[in-house]
Amino acid sequence: MSMNPLLSTNELEVVEFLLDEREEDGTTYTGHYAINVAKVLEIIRLPQVTAMPGTHDPAVMGSFNLRGKVLPLINLATWLGKEMAVTKNDKVLVTEFSGVKAAFLVSSVMSIHRLDWERIEPPNKYVQTFSRDSITGILRIGERVLFILDMEKILASLDHSLDMSRMEPEPAKAEMPEQVRLLLADDSSSLRKIVKSFLEKSGYQVTTASNGREAWEYLNNLAQAQSGQEGGKEDLSEIVDLVISDIEMPEMDGHALTTKIRENPALHKLPVVLFSSLITDALRAKGIKVGADRQVSKPDLAGLDKIVKEIMEERLHK
């Protein structure tokens, strides 16, 4: 299964899957969840699992061999603090994102839905608090409510090499003449804080937005305010130097945000860097098509820092 190359800007496809969760009274509750199709390589039956030696997170069931590749199997329900009713009919989502392949145990897979990012609602604080900040979006289909999980956070909690909170910026070799002002758009509240902190330690001034629409409204309001001033300039180079955007975001994704920036006369020169766990060949081509200056795969914060410096130095020399 792979991403549909015909998807237009701000569209996505999600796989709806179920988790049958045992309640304390012995009954079973079925939770509906979704994951971006672009992250799913294939869906298989529950394989023979080999336990891993040593201590590890209880959500890691073990590993299995898939055509010569040993993959960890993660019980999503356990990670979410729930007990899953495991059966031989359970399914496994084999995924790849952030440059890592991993597998997640689920109860069953329903169907694939093609929709616009505008239909994805950002979670409120109540939902975030009771989900360990693990939900990045909510989708309503008929009477069903689907939760889109922060798969990057889940995987990073199990693999410390993917944990951006542990990464520190390298000392700057040369200071920029002025502080660089960045706009960071990311729907994950935890990752947004981590990336913001990292960039601030690198010497940047960072403003954040929780999704593409919020980032666009911020930029558009700045553009309108500046154009209304006497002697206003054609661009916002004195207010925002560069935009860093995730791709997957509720209401407006990073590709749609980039498109709007390129189409706006006051913003079209503004550099845009896409920073996402989904920099596949197809999505890289899409990023180039909509006009992104550079694209970096999460969790490469050092690479992001390097690219921001390169773009700012190029603009300085021009």
Side-chain angles (χ1 to χ4, degrees):
M1 183 183 298
S2 61
M3 194 194 87
N4 187 338
L6 298 178
L7 289 177
S8 62
T9 301
N10 217 43
E11 275 191 334
L12 81 155
E13 289 179 330
V14 298
V15 178
E16 179 182 359
F17 63 90
L18 309 181
L19 291 178
D20 292 333
E21 306 157 6
R22 292 190 190 277
E23 301 287 357
E24 293 183 357
D25 61 2
T27 60
T28 299
Y29 169 78
T30 299
H32 293 253
Y33 299 86
I35 181 173
N36 194 328
V37 167
K39 293 180 178 177
V40 181
L41 297 176
E42 57 185 303
I43 301 169
I44 62 174
R45 294 179 179 177
L46 179 62
Q48 183 68 40
V49 179
T50 302
M52 289 184 173
T55 58
H56 55 74
D57 192 289
V60 181
M61 301 175 64
S63 62
F64 66 96
N65 190 330
L66 181 64
R67 295 186 294 277
K69 180 76 173 180
V70 178
L71 300 178
L73 181 60
I74 300 161
N75 188 319
L76 273 181
T78 301
W79 193 92
L80 292 168
K82 305 174 184 296
E83 181 184 356
M84 181 174 168
V86 180
T87 71
K88 292 183 179 180
N89 296 321
D90 292 335
K91 296 293 185 291
V92 171
L93 301 176
V94 180
T95 67
E96 183 173 15
F97 52 90
S98 299
V100 175
K101 291 183 180 179
F104 296 89
L105 178 69
V106 302
S107 298
S108 58
V109 176
M110 290 277 288
S111 57
I112 294 176
H113 305 284
R114 183 170 182 167
L115 54 125
D116 194 285
W117 273 107
E118 290 185 355
R119 288 187 57 189
I120 308 294
E121 306 170 24
N124 57 38
K125 291 182 179 180
Y126 175 85
V127 172
Q128 286 291 60
T129 299
F130 287 91
S131 69
R132 297 173 59 184
D133 281 336
S134 62
I135 294 173
T136 58
I138 299 172
L139 173 62
R140 302 175 192 274
I141 298 179
E143 298 297 320
R144 306 193 303 281
V145 176
L146 280 60
F147 296 109
I148 299 177
L149 295 174
D150 189 345
M151 306 301 288
E152 289 83 359
K153 177 178 179 177
I154 295 172
L155 199 55
S157 71
L158 303 171
D159 183 350
H160 291 165
S161 68
L162 302 175
D163 187 353
M164 287 189 277
S165 66
R166 296 169 178 259
M167 302 177 186
E168 292 290 336
E170 295 182 3
K173 295 181 180 179
E175 295 294 332
M176 295 300 244
E178 297 179 359
Q179 190 173 43
V180 175
R181 291 145 299 199
L182 307 177
L183 173 61
L184 169 66
D186 197 304
D187 62 326
S188 170
S189 60
S190 58
L191 287 185
R192 198 165 57 245
K193 293 175 184 176
I194 292 169
V195 177
K196 181 178 187 290
S197 175
F198 181 95
L199 293 171
E200 288 178 337
K201 289 178 182 177
S202 290
Y204 306 115
Q205 179 181 317
V206 185
T207 300
T208 62
S210 60
N211 57 56
R213 183 172 300 284
E214 186 177 313
W216 170 246
E217 290 175 353
Y218 173 80
L219 290 171
N220 195 39
N221 288 338
L222 286 179
Q224 291 180 355
Q226 183 145 310
S227 65
Q229 295 177 0
E230 185 176 349
K233 296 185 178 182
E234 293 182 355
D235 61 64
L236 299 177
S237 59
E238 294 186 0
I239 304 175
V240 179
D241 292 296
L242 183 144
V243 174
I244 299 171
S245 177
D246 189 13
I247 291 178
E248 293 182 285
M249 294 183 289
E251 298 186 334
M252 182 186 294
D253 71 359
H255 290 138
L257 172 62
T258 306
T259 299
K260 284 186 170 292
I261 290 172
R262 292 291 171 257
E263 292 175 346
N264 188 291
L267 300 169
H268 72 280
K269 295 181 181 179
L270 190 60
V272 178
V273 177
L274 295 178
F275 185 51
S276 171
S277 62
L278 278 178
I279 306 295
T280 62
D281 289 343
L283 282 167
R284 185 175 295 277
K286 190 171 183 179
I288 293 172
K289 183 178 180 181
V290 298
D293 292 84
R294 304 289 283 274
Q295 301 180 66
V296 190
S297 180
K298 290 178 181 177
D300 189 6
L301 280 173
L304 175 65
D305 185 20
K306 180 182 177 182
I307 281 177
V308 172
K309 284 184 171 65
E310 288 175 354
I311 293 176
M312 289 299 98
E313 288 174 358
E314 289 172 3
R315 296 187 72 188
L316 181 63
H317 292 149
K318 287 182 180 180

